[in-house]
Amino acid sequence: MIDTTDMLNVFQNHRGDAIVISGRASKHWVNISTYEKRDVPLGDPAMGGHASFAFGLALANPDKKIILFDSEGDVLMNMGVLTTIAEIAPPNFYHFLLDNEVYATTGGQPVPNAQNVAYDVIASGAGYPSSHAFDNLEDFTNNVEEILANPGPVMVALKVNPEIENEPIGRRRRWQTRTRDQVIEDLQGQLGLSTS
Amino acid sequence: MTQQQAELSPETVLAQIKANGVTHVVWLPDSETNWLYLLMKADPTIELIPVSREGAAFSTAAGLSVGGKKPIILIQNTGLMESGDSLRGWAIGMNIPVVLMVGYRGYTRHGVIQDTAATYTERFLNAFDVDYYLIENSEDAERITIAFKEAEKTRRPVAVLVGDEYHGFNSR
């Protein structure tokens, strides 16, 4: 298993000027990223949709590298999107998946068949031209630079330690540093789009 | 009204879509819109994005819209109802000005609606406070532009209910 913060610290060294949709990694990424205006921590607009959103953003901006930190729970909820991504195959789309085998934010209940699902294999079967799986930081560290140097779409499935939350939602520490509207405004500024 | 006016021409619908600057059509096939699909597929100015579950259409459209493109969502009423949480979170919650063209399966102006897909369509849209416009023939097609203008003005999704299978079945 990989510690998510350790993984993100390694990734940060290779991020460049990519747009990062931080998804389920957001609460850690906001403390690691050095390019906030290109970060897109949306919280959780509706579970299962991050991959489609990031895919749409990649289509709209083919000259920008789009990196998503998705989760296995989200992908299980919207697995068909993998076929759409594979068909259109945006080369600027990098799909990292954090697989902690549980629904961590609801108390740590296991996802279906938690320990026996190979998301890299599922992505390959859906038609992703490239997919990888890592369950230790060393292998991830040795490969991430090359993965990001090659065209996408690519799936990078990562076995990560679960960080289970049992506190009532209203009592949890807020990690957000910007409102969702501000995140979108900052992103569109980076994309050269009018935000008026 | 001529027979041609009494039917909904897919060419007229496509002209409306193009006139409103649509760049991407995020869609899942349904019987009401298949002929429109065939026309769009042949049009090089529009990119078709197929999804396998209607909820993904809303998050995909959100990404396209935030990224500077102008998507339209083309789905059936059955799939719209499946998509409630995505409509809420990715379209309404993200202030996405997107038009949904929704095949109105089961709709008829004649007699009693028998298909519960039609029974609950407008109730569903009302529950989410999504405005909608019904089009049944080519004379109604300008309502598509009205929907686009309203979506832009309100920064919200607006629906166009397609109450005809491009065959004029409601005109019989």
Side-chain angles (χ1 to χ4, degrees):
Chain A
M1 290 283 195
I2 299 170
D3 179 85
T4 299
T5 302
D6 291 345
M7 180 275 295
L8 290 173
N9 275 311
V10 172
F11 165 76
Q12 163 68 16
N13 297 327
H14 306 284
R15 179 256 183 94
D17 63 355
I19 305 291
V20 176
I21 296 109
S22 44
R24 303 286 170 189
S26 294
K27 68 178 180 181
H28 299 298
W29 182 243
V30 294
N31 299 317
I32 294 170
S33 172
T34 57
Y35 207 158
E36 182 183 58
K37 288 186 183 300
R38 291 201 167 210
D39 295 335
V40 193
L42 296 174
D44 188 13
M47 191 167 176
H50 275 105
S52 311
F53 175 85
F55 163 67
L57 195 59
L59 287 185
N61 295 275
D63 61 332
K64 303 283 192 304
K65 190 172 279 189
I66 306 294
I67 296 172
L68 167 67
F69 286 99
D70 211 348
S71 81
E72 91 283 21
D74 283 275
V75 165
L76 286 169
M77 200 172 275
N78 185 21
M79 197 172 277
V81 71
L82 300 180
T83 62
T84 297
I85 293 168
E87 176 178 331
I88 307 296
N92 57 329
F93 182 61
Y94 296 80
H95 195 169
F96 289 72
L97 184 147
L98 307 180
D99 174 13
N100 62 9
E101 302 182 355
V102 297
Y103 296 109
T105 58
T106 60
Q109 306 89 342
V111 302
N113 205 19
Q115 297 178 17
N116 303 300
V117 182
Y119 294 97
D120 59 321
V121 177
I122 290 174
S124 293
Y128 273 51
S130 179
S131 61
H132 307 265
F134 301 107
D135 62 5
N136 66 83
L137 187 65
E138 184 178 1
D139 286 347
F140 174 77
T141 303
N142 290 336
N143 285 279
V144 64
E145 182 176 13
E146 184 178 350
I147 288 169
L148 291 171
N150 285 312
V154 57
M155 167 66 74
V156 183
L158 303 166
K159 283 284 187 186
V160 299
N161 294 320
E163 298 172 36
I164 295 167
E165 296 182 79
N166 273 318
E167 280 284 295
I169 290 176
R171 294 216 297 261
R172 292 178 191 173
R173 180 182 66 83
R174 282 185 59 79
W175 50 262
Q176 290 89 344
T177 58
R178 296 174 288 164
T179 65
R180 189 179 290 163
D181 287 348
Q182 187 63 53
V183 168
I184 298 300
E185 187 175 332
D186 287 346
L187 170 64
Q188 292 184 325
Q190 291 293 308
L191 297 175
L193 301 172
S194 168
T195 56
S196 60
Chain B
M1 185 182 291
T2 66
Q3 180 64 27
Q4 192 170 17
Q5 287 171 320
E7 296 181 359
L8 180 56
S9 153
E11 289 83 0
T12 302
V13 173
L14 181 59
Q16 285 280 328
I17 290 173
K18 294 180 69 168
N20 282 284
V22 167
T23 58
H24 295 76
V25 177
V26 187
W27 75 288
L28 200 148
D30 68 282
S31 58
E32 286 81 0
T33 51
N34 184 53
W35 288 103
L36 180 60
Y37 159 68
L38 295 174
L39 277 177
M40 291 188 302
K41 193 176 176 186
D43 191 314
T45 67
I46 292 176
E47 187 168 0
L48 291 175
I49 310 297
V51 294
S52 53
R53 195 90 182 185
E54 288 85 351
F58 290 92
S59 37
T60 303
L64 286 161
S65 179
V66 166
K69 299 300 181 183
K70 191 164 184 178
I72 188 172
I73 292 172
L74 186 61
I75 56 177
Q76 195 176 56
N77 52 354
T78 48
L80 172 69
M81 287 183 269
E82 168 74 19
S83 305
D85 196 41
S86 292
L87 167 64
R88 175 199 63 78
W90 289 104
I92 298 171
M94 296 273 291
N95 306 311
I96 303 299
V98 67
V99 169
L100 337 168
M101 284 198 68
V102 180
Y104 202 167
R105 197 192 87 180
Y107 168 78
T108 179
R109 281 185 289 115
H110 307 294
V112 178
I113 288 176
Q114 303 288 344
D115 186 340
T116 57
T119 302
Y120 294 111
T121 296
E122 293 181 49
R123 298 177 196 183
F124 177 93
L125 290 167
N126 287 327
F128 283 82
D129 198 22
V130 171
D131 281 352
Y132 55 89
Y133 295 89
L134 173 66
I135 59 171
E136 297 178 90
N137 56 56
S138 291
E139 285 201 331
D140 296 334
E142 287 185 5
R143 303 187 96 189
I144 297 171
T145 289
I146 292 171
F148 273 106
K149 287 181 178 173
E150 183 174 325
E152 287 293 336
K153 183 178 178 183
T154 61
R155 310 294 294 172
R156 285 178 62 87
V158 176
V160 173
L161 297 175
V162 183
D164 189 295
E165 291 191 56
Y166 303 105
H167 307 139
F169 65 77
N170 276 324
S171 64
R172 290 182 198 127

